[in-house]
Amino acid sequence: MPKNMKKPSPRIPKGTFRRLMKDIFSFFPLSWVVVFVCLALVVCANASASLFLTQITKFTIEGVENGWESVKKGMLNLLFVMIAVRGSGVIASTIQNLLMARITQGSLLKIRIKMFNAMEKLPIRYFDSHNSGDIMSYYTNDTDSLRMLISQCITALVQSVIMLIILLAIMLSTSIWLSLIIFLGIVVMFNVTKKVTGNAGQGFIAQQKNIARVEGFVEEMMHGQKVVKVFCHEEEAKKDFDKLNDELRKAQEFAESNASKMGPITMNIGNIMYVLLAFLGGVLIALSLKGFNVYNLTIFGVKKIELNTFLPTLVAFLTLCRQFTNNVNQCTQQFNQIVMALAAGGRIYALIDEKEEVDEGYVTLVNAKFNENGEIEESKERTNIWAWKHPHQDGSITYTQVKGDIRMFNVDFGYVENKIVLHDITLYGKPGQKIAFVGSTGAGKTTITNLINRFYDIADGKIRYDGININKIKKDDLRRSLGIVLQDTNLFTGTVMENIRYGKLDASDEECIQAAKLANAHDFITRLPNGYNTMLTSDGANLSQGQRQLLSIARAAVNNAPVMILDEATSSIDTRTELLVQKGTDELMKGRTVFVIAHRLSTVQNSNVIVVLEHGRIIERGTHEQLIKEKGKYYQLYTGAFELE
């Protein structure tokens, strides 16, 4: 190990191996049973080689002494048995390989599904604090490490263990004296293995983490390649990559240098055992030839050593020793992949075990209608009238029509505990009102909208939606009642129509087209090569930033939600298009509560209420005219520049 290489400190989480094996074997239990049966047949076929060699040696000695005719029939029978045994081994091996292909890919499929399902339940806070490339590494590098474990290591280990057990049984039935040397070799191998590979597990964990860091860095550089080139940052990017890559090299070198030592060590211990066996066997034969009464001890009893009987035994035992050493070496060769898989499994289970987004809500969003008495009740059919279904402790259920009345009372919030970024926020938004948030970067505008849709939960205060505390509303139902256009546009691989329909999965084509017209996106869509059927890839890279934003607005419009949140939705749109979008959103706003985060103050002049934020506090509120007359912060922003810095 190089002098400048530090010993990695992380360890594989306790219980990872047991949990991983439990999952792998539970996915295809019957297939595994068949695989193990086939493995046993293959091992038995391979182990029979030494027995056949013993019989052939005996027939050869007998043929030399008594003539070949006396052993001809026995030799032929032995040949047929050998063909049958080896043939069954080949068939079993073929079945095993076919099943392992199915088990391996099926297990990885289920593990990826398990990871993805767990990831979808994680809070936004997790994705804000983890690199996307690091998360991708779970699905690529870590999963691939498990593939090697399932497809090769498990079967190779089981096969080697079964083989070792069979070989030990044959050895004990052949000669206990010679077997003692094998047992001595096992003790030496175990202690050396434990000592040499003690740090390899830590090294492989460090390796997996460094691979994730490298992948995360590459993903980040690919995403920001234009910025890198614009600011001539290529050389600095290369230096940063070289540093991460070198740390990965050191971790891999440390791990593999420890794990790879076992092969040569076990082979040399095996060679020493082979020499000792030949020496001891030769001594026993020499003593018997000189007239000493030397006895061979086996589990079946004691028998005097004679040349014609013990020589075949010694030849077979030397073969068994070589097979034994090869199988031990095969086990050590799997060590790299096993520890790497355990390190990957530890990371995968860390993702699966991440704390899910807590949702204690019990108020749900349902389709509703008015009965003959004018009272609202639940409807099984889609009516475009929505209600909050509110079960109570006494068993009764009340329905409240969704109107979009949102109120915040004395709300405090901090992304990190003890670091409050919003202080005593009190405001309300009534149906049909447009509430605009303005203020400098970091004032808390986006944070307020994140609290309305419960991406984060408040530290103190209350937020009520149609008079119901939003903590009582199920998060999925709450978010279904909100139409949101985020500052960062996200389009998915698929057609333009599919991307608009993302806002409402059961929307018809006509509804999607109407939403596009409302967002003034219809004209540019019709000019695309295949119109609404044009495929979008790479987050809509074949569209301009403004066009992508218009599609995001159309996606929110098709949802037809009672509350709209526009987080600087027009920041990427030119002034002319912005006027068209404003007309569309004004139409969309009718009967709805709309929260707008403004990048340009010209877009909020027609708002019912303008809320001015500074350092997480509301310092001014009122209409455009009122705030201009007050000549406060808003007046300074409006008269100083039309764009907030």
Side-chain angles (χ1 to χ4, degrees):
M1 185 177 76
K3 293 181 179 179
N4 62 344
M5 191 187 302
K6 296 181 180 179
K7 183 187 293 186
S9 58
R11 294 184 178 276
I12 297 172
K14 188 177 181 180
T16 299
F17 180 77
R18 182 166 61 257
R19 184 176 179 183
L20 190 57
M21 291 301 101
K22 182 180 178 182
D23 277 349
I24 291 173
F25 291 132
S26 66
F27 294 146
F28 300 94
L30 293 178
S31 296
W32 275 114
V33 171
V34 177
V35 166
F36 289 142
V37 170
C38 291
L39 272 176
L41 291 175
V42 172
V43 171
C44 290
N46 293 336
S48 64
S50 61
L51 297 177
F52 289 134
L53 181 60
T54 302
Q55 292 298 317
I56 291 172
T57 306
K58 287 182 178 179
F59 281 134
T60 302
I61 294 173
E62 187 178 343
V64 172
E65 292 179 349
N66 303 323
W68 293 105
E69 286 297 326
S70 62
V71 297
K72 182 179 179 180
K73 184 177 181 181
M75 289 284 282
L76 288 175
N77 291 336
L78 181 62
L79 178 62
F80 289 133
V81 172
M82 287 177 62
I83 293 173
V85 171
R86 301 300 292 181
S88 63
V90 171
I91 295 172
S93 179
T94 303
I95 295 173
Q96 171 203 322
N97 291 333
L98 292 175
L99 284 176
M100 283 309 303
R102 174 176 176 268
I103 290 172
T104 300
Q105 297 307 320
S107 297
L108 296 183
L109 168 71
K110 293 179 183 293
I111 289 172
R112 285 193 293 264
I113 290 174
K114 217 173 180 182
M115 276 196 294
F116 193 82
N117 290 342
M119 187 184 73
E120 289 297 288
K121 297 176 183 178
L122 296 178
I124 292 294
R125 188 185 302 273
Y126 178 86
F127 300 97
D128 287 344
S129 59
H130 287 76
N131 187 293
S132 58
D134 190 7
I135 297 174
M136 281 300 302
S137 183
Y138 291 115
Y139 294 91
T140 54
N141 181 67
D142 291 327
T143 306
D144 189 63
S145 294
L146 294 187
R147 177 182 63 81
M148 298 298 293
L149 172 71
I150 300 170
S151 64
Q152 296 181 14
C153 297
I154 293 179
T155 52
L157 278 176
V158 172
Q159 184 172 342
S160 295
V161 169
I162 295 174
M163 189 70 171
L164 290 173
I165 293 172
I166 293 174
L167 289 173
L168 286 173
I170 296 173
M171 288 175 180
L172 290 172
S173 65
T174 304
S175 174
I176 292 179
W177 301 127
L178 298 178
S179 298
L180 291 176
I181 295 177
I182 300 297
F183 287 124
L184 178 62
I186 292 174
V187 173
V188 174
M189 286 180 180
F190 176 79
N191 285 289
V192 172
T193 302
K194 186 177 179 181
K195 186 175 181 179
V196 172
T197 60
N199 294 324
Q202 299 176 30
F204 281 115
I205 293 177
Q207 172 184 302
Q208 296 299 109
K209 289 185 176 180
N210 278 286
I211 289 175
R213 289 177 63 194
V214 169
E215 289 184 356
F217 183 82
V218 172
E219 189 270 342
E220 190 177 64
M221 288 298 103
M222 289 176 63
H223 185 71
Q225 194 58 223
K226 289 182 181 178
V227 177
V228 171
K229 290 190 177 296
V230 165
F231 291 98
C232 303
H233 201 72
E234 292 92 340
E235 292 303 319
E236 288 299 319
K238 289 177 184 177
K239 290 179 182 178
D240 292 339
F241 178 77
D242 289 344
K243 182 180 178 181
L244 291 173
N245 206 21
D246 190 55
E247 290 176 359
L248 172 59
R249 176 193 63 78
K250 290 177 181 178
Q252 288 178 323
E253 184 179 336
F254 178 83
E256 294 182 10
S257 63
N258 279 276
S260 61
K261 292 176 182 177
M262 284 313 303
I265 290 175
T266 54
M267 286 303 295
N268 281 294
I269 293 175
N271 291 334
I272 293 172
M273 287 193 300
Y274 191 89
V275 172
L276 290 175
L277 286 172
F279 177 76
L280 179 59
V283 169
L284 293 175
I285 292 174
L287 290 174
S288 67
L289 290 175
K290 288 194 175 187
F292 291 95
N293 292 325
V294 183
Y295 296 92
N296 182 29
L297 178 64
T298 70
I299 57 175
F300 299 113
V302 180
K303 190 175 182 180
K304 186 178 180 180
I305 291 179
E306 296 178 358
L307 179 63
N308 62 341
T309 57
F310 189 73
L311 183 59
T313 299
L314 179 60
V315 172
F317 210 96
L318 291 173
T319 304
L320 291 172
C321 176
R322 185 62 69 193
Q323 286 183 296
F324 184 88
T325 304
N326 290 338
N327 278 274
V328 172
N329 191 47
Q330 187 176 359
C331 288
T332 60
Q333 287 177 353
Q334 304 302 322
F335 182 81
N336 288 24
Q337 289 298 333
I338 292 172
V339 180
M340 192 183 300
L342 291 179
R347 281 170 45 82
I348 288 172
Y349 286 126
L351 173 65
I352 293 174
D353 294 339
E354 279 286 343
K355 190 176 181 181
E356 296 180 0
E357 186 173 25
V358 178
D359 188 2
E360 298 176 351
Y362 51 87
V363 178
T364 55
L365 186 68
V366 296
N367 283 293
K369 63 181 180 180
F370 291 96
N371 59 22
E372 297 175 352
N373 300 323
E375 298 174 343
I376 195 164
E377 61 182 24
E378 188 172 354
S379 172
K380 293 182 179 180
E381 299 177 355
R382 192 177 183 90
T383 60
N384 288 325
I385 300 174
W386 299 93
W388 298 115
K389 183 179 180 180
H390 191 166
H392 299 278
Q393 291 183 350
D394 59 3
S396 62
I397 297 176
T398 57
Y399 295 92
T400 304
Q401 185 178 359
V402 177
K403 296 180 179 179
D405 189 298
I406 293 182
R407 300 170 185 257
M408 303 180 75
F409 302 94
N410 309 112
V411 170
D412 293 337
F413 171 75
Y415 289 101
V416 180
E417 193 175 355
N418 300 324
K419 289 187 178 181
I420 302 299
V421 296
L422 290 181
H423 305 268
D424 196 29
I425 301 296
T426 298
L427 57 86
Y428 62 87
K430 294 181 180 179
Q433 282 190 331
K434 180 179 179 181
I435 300 94
F437 299 114
V438 299
S440 58
T441 300
K445 306 183 295 295
T446 300
T447 301
I448 291 177
T449 59
N450 284 340
L451 298 181
I452 293 174
N453 55 44
R454 288 194 70 191
F455 284 163
Y456 300 91
D457 286 327
I458 60 178
D460 195 15
K462 288 184 179 179
I463 304 176
R464 293 189 176 275
Y465 192 148
D466 292 327
I468 303 171
N469 192 324
I470 64 169
N471 289 336
K472 296 180 180 179
I473 302 174
K474 281 188 172 294
K475 289 184 179 180
D476 285 349
D477 295 270
L478 171 66
R479 291 164 186 167
R480 269 198 292 267
S481 72
L482 304 172
I484 302 176
V485 181
L486 299 173
Q487 182 178 359
D488 297 323
T489 59
N490 288 104
L491 299 178
F492 301 92
T493 300
T495 65
V496 171
M497 184 72 76
E498 289 169 344
N499 270 275
I500 296 175
R501 189 176 282 118
Y502 206 88
K504 179 184 173 185
L505 296 179
D506 59 349
S508 64
D509 288 354
E510 185 56 39
E511 287 178 299
C512 293
I513 293 172
Q514 190 60 37
K517 289 179 178 178
L518 193 61
N520 285 291
H522 179 72
D523 287 343
F524 92 79
I525 293 174
T526 55
R527 292 195 297 271
L528 293 175
N530 296 309
Y532 282 87
N533 292 320
T534 301
M535 285 293 297
L536 302 180
T537 57
S538 302
D539 198 16
N542 50 337
L543 302 178
S544 70
Q545 182 65 30
Q547 290 172 331
R548 293 163 62 192
Q549 193 71 288
L550 289 175
L551 286 183
S552 295
I553 296 172
R555 186 163 59 194
V558 78
N559 186 31
N560 198 25
V563 177
M564 294 288 294
I565 297 174
L566 307 177
D567 187 352
E568 300 195 24
T570 58
S571 62
S572 302
I573 301 175
D574 61 84
T575 305
R576 179 180 175 278
T577 307
E578 183 181 349
L579 294 174
L580 295 175
V581 172
Q582 272 190 276
K583 292 179 181 178
T585 53
D586 288 343
E587 184 67 27
L588 182 65
M589 190 184 74
K590 291 180 180 179
R592 293 177 174 82
T593 309
V594 180
F595 293 96
V596 178
I597 295 175
H599 182 71
R600 291 191 284 263
L601 296 184
S602 59
T603 65
V604 300
Q605 293 182 38
N606 64 344
S607 300
N608 299 98
V609 180
I610 298 174
V611 178
V612 184
L613 293 161
E614 189 172 89
H615 302 305
R617 300 180 186 275
I618 297 177
I619 59 173
E620 295 176 14
R621 72 178 82 202
T623 63
H624 172 74
E625 291 76 14
Q626 290 171 340
L627 295 177
I628 291 295
K629 288 180 181 178
E630 291 179 6
K631 293 189 176 181
K633 184 71 174 179
Y634 180 80
Y635 175 83
Q636 295 174 4
L637 293 170
Y638 187 80
T639 56
F642 283 91
E643 291 192 12
L644 294 174
E645 299 296 334

